[in-house]
């Protein structure tokens, strides 16, 4: 089953780093997932996130306000 991943952020350097870490983790481990970048503040606020970047996996906020390690992302995806 495909995972739904959203990176919430306004496009800052940290937000771009989260996107890269997530995409690297997915490709290196052959994980079936879609990655969506959400930059609209109204959409971000629907997740009750006030600090970006944030990582949402299958509708659940996993990380707020920091860049996760690749290992952290893998734990969330497995």
């Amino acid at each position: 089953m495909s995972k739904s991943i959203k990176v919430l952020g306004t496009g800052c350097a940290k937000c771009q780093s989260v996107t890269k870490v997530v995409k690297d983790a997915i490709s290196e481990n052959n994980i079936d997932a879609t990655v969506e970048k959400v930059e609209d503040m109204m959409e971000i606020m629907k997740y009750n996130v006030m600090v970006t970047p944030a990582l949402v996996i299958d509708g659940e906020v996993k990380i707020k306000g920091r860049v996760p390690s690749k290992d952290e992302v893998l734990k969330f995806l497995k």
Side-chain angles (χ1 to χ4, degrees):
M1 188 174 143
S2 180
K3 294 280 188 185
S4 170
I5 302 170
K6 294 184 181 186
V7 177
L8 311 181
T10 56
C12 65
K14 282 186 178 182
C15 301
Q16 292 170 10
S17 295
V18 172
T19 303
K20 182 179 180 345
V21 167
V22 168
K23 287 184 176 181
D24 288 350
I26 290 169
S27 65
E28 290 171 12
N29 294 277
N30 296 316
I31 295 171
D32 183 18
T34 58
V35 179
E36 180 184 348
K37 186 80 176 67
V38 178
E39 294 184 356
D40 179 59
M41 283 308 294
M42 296 309 288
E43 188 67 27
I44 291 170
M45 289 173 69
K46 288 180 185 175
Y47 289 94
N48 204 21
V49 170
M50 300 297 154
V51 180
T52 60
L55 180 63
V56 178
I57 299 176
D58 293 335
E60 186 179 336
V61 178
K62 298 292 187 178
I63 291 177
K64 295 182 199 176
R66 64 181 179 85
V67 178
S69 69
K70 207 179 295 183
D71 288 338
E72 265 185 300
V73 172
L74 286 174
K75 285 178 190 173
F76 293 135
L77 293 174
K78 292 191 175 179

